[in-house]
């Protein structure tokens, strides 16, 4: 563990804390070096969005919560960046909606898989999937194709944070509902998502959990009405407008 202290009074405290967590993730064998580059890309978009949850992202997070509550078998996919940034928040969302957690890596090694599973357990996860890898996502020839057949393989709804576009497209072709968290509204993952959530994963996950708790007593009809009212295209357009400095809606 690095021992750098970041004063809470620093104007970019959250951003610096996030960087620090990713750096530690690399040091602890959780995050890949490429994860540092992904973090930099994300930061640039977050800066343009004003480092806040814009209203259209808040709505998408509520819609995602409704999908998760209605799902038969929801799974939250975990990579090395998300594991380093917000392990507890993932465990809390999984508990709030009854989802499985599954580690799925682009740069997959046995060591990183084990390190991430242990890290999630240290943050309260009971069962973590991904090590069995007895299933395949058709049409993908990299390591992200490897899934547990009783996890992502048989999920109807998958939360996909910070992803490269290939797997997002392939999961869509399998007919799965994809709830994609990605700060870049122009990325292939966001564009192919059932619900694109253009927000930082560190804000998106706790807000999805809050919405899930709020919606816990809602009927199937109420949840379906929330889903039906959502327009993914409009959410992406609202995020692009916010990035360009236009109206925030
Ligand atoms: O841990 P692994 O081996 O599975 O590798 C994971 C990475 C992230 C390295 C891999 O998936 C990758 O290369 O991703 P990309 O193609 O760089 O895409 C990452 C996307 O996530 C980009 O569109 C970023 O803008 C976005 N992003 C980065 N940080 C965040 C983010 N979105 C939300 N919250 C963030 N904190």
């Amino acid at each position: 563990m690095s021992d750098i202290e970041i004063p809470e009074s620093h104007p970019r405290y959250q951003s610096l804390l996030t960087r620090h967590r990713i750096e530690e993730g690399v040091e602890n064998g959780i995050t890949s070096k490429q994860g540092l580059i992904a973090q930099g890309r994300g930061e640039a978009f977050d800066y343009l969005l004003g480092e806040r949850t814009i209203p259209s992202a808040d709505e998408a997070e509520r819609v995602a919560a409704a999908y998760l509550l209605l799902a038969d078998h929801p799974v939250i996919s975990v990579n090395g960046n998300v594991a380093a940034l917000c392990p507890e928040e993932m465990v809390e969302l999984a508990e709030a909606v009854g989802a499985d957690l599954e580690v799925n890596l682009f740069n997959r090694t046995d060591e990183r898989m084990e390190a991430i599973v242990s890290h999630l357990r240290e943050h309260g996860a009971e069962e973590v999937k991904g090590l069995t890898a007895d299933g395949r996502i058709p049409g993908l020839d990299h390591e992200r194709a490897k899934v547990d057949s009783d996890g992502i393989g048989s999920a109807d709804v998958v939360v996909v944070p910070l992803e490269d576009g290939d797997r997002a497209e392939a999961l869509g072709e399998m007919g799965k509902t994809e709830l994609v968290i990605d700060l870049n509204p122009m990325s292939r993952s966001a564009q192919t998502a059932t619900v694109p959530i253009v927000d930082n994963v560190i804000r998106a996950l706790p807000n999805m959990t809050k919405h899930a708790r709020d919606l816990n007593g809602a009927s199937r009809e109420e949840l379906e009405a929330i889903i039906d009212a959502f327009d993914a295209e409009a959410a992406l357009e609202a995020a692009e407008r916010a990035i360009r400095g236009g109206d925030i809606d």
Side-chain angles (χ1 to χ4, degrees):
M1 293 275 271
S2 161
D3 53 7
I4 298 168
E5 286 281 323
I6 304 166
E8 281 191 45
S9 57
H10 193 288
R12 309 209 57 247
Y13 174 75
Q14 273 304 335
S15 171
L16 293 176
L17 189 69
T18 306
R19 277 191 190 179
H20 185 54
R21 286 202 191 140
I22 288 282
E23 214 184 317
E24 269 186 0
V26 174
E27 281 163 13
N28 297 336
I30 287 171
T31 309
S32 69
K33 286 186 187 159
Q34 287 185 20
L36 294 169
I37 299 167
Q39 166 70 18
R41 291 171 69 187
E43 273 187 22
F45 283 103
D46 206 13
Y47 186 81
L48 293 171
L49 282 164
E51 293 174 342
R52 68 198 188 287
T53 300
I54 58 173
S56 55
D58 180 52
E59 189 202 348
E61 283 152 13
R62 186 159 179 263
V63 173
Y67 267 113
L68 287 166
L69 290 170
L70 281 176
D72 290 325
H73 182 198
V75 177
I76 303 171
S77 185
V78 182
N79 67 19
N81 283 53
V82 192
L85 289 178
C86 35
E88 264 164 39
E89 290 82 350
M90 262 182 309
V91 173
E92 278 178 20
L93 177 62
E95 278 174 10
V97 299
D100 284 335
L101 290 168
E102 177 163 339
V103 182
N104 178 276
L105 300 181
F106 184 70
N107 304 291
R108 183 182 177 116
T109 62
D110 289 345
E111 292 73 22
R112 281 189 69 218
M113 290 295 294
E114 297 284 355
I116 294 172
V117 169
S118 310
H119 184 65
L120 291 174
R121 291 215 175 103
E122 280 161 24
H123 287 85
E126 277 168 22
E127 204 200 336
V128 183
K129 294 190 192 290
L131 293 173
T132 314
D134 55 347
R136 290 286 176 283
I137 300 173
L140 281 189
D141 54 11
H142 52 73
E143 290 292 291
R144 271 205 140 142
K146 292 182 180 169
V147 291
D148 283 13
S149 51
D150 66 348
I152 289 173
S154 55
D156 55 345
V157 177
V158 189
V159 178
V160 179
L162 261 113
E163 169 100 18
D164 61 290
D166 270 17
R167 192 180 68 138
E169 272 183 355
L171 286 173
E173 276 162 28
M174 287 174 88
K176 297 186 193 295
T177 296
E178 283 182 273
L179 315 173
V180 170
I181 305 169
D182 192 322
L183 279 159
N184 177 5
M186 287 153 284
S187 77
R188 214 153 26 113
S189 320
Q191 297 276 340
T192 54
T194 319
V195 180
I197 299 167
V198 184
D199 199 3
N200 196 318
V201 70
I202 62 172
R203 297 188 299 268
L205 287 171
N207 200 33
M208 286 162 73
T209 304
K210 178 191 159 292
H211 281 303
R213 289 182 181 142
D214 289 349
L215 291 171
N216 205 16
S219 66
R220 170 166 284 273
E221 289 69 31
E222 284 171 283
L223 295 174
E224 283 172 353
I226 290 169
I227 287 170
D228 289 346
F230 182 69
D231 181 343
E233 202 60 43
L236 290 170
E237 281 167 14
E240 285 190 38
R241 273 200 304 283
I243 285 171
R244 294 202 169 97
D247 291 343
I248 309 269
D249 51 9

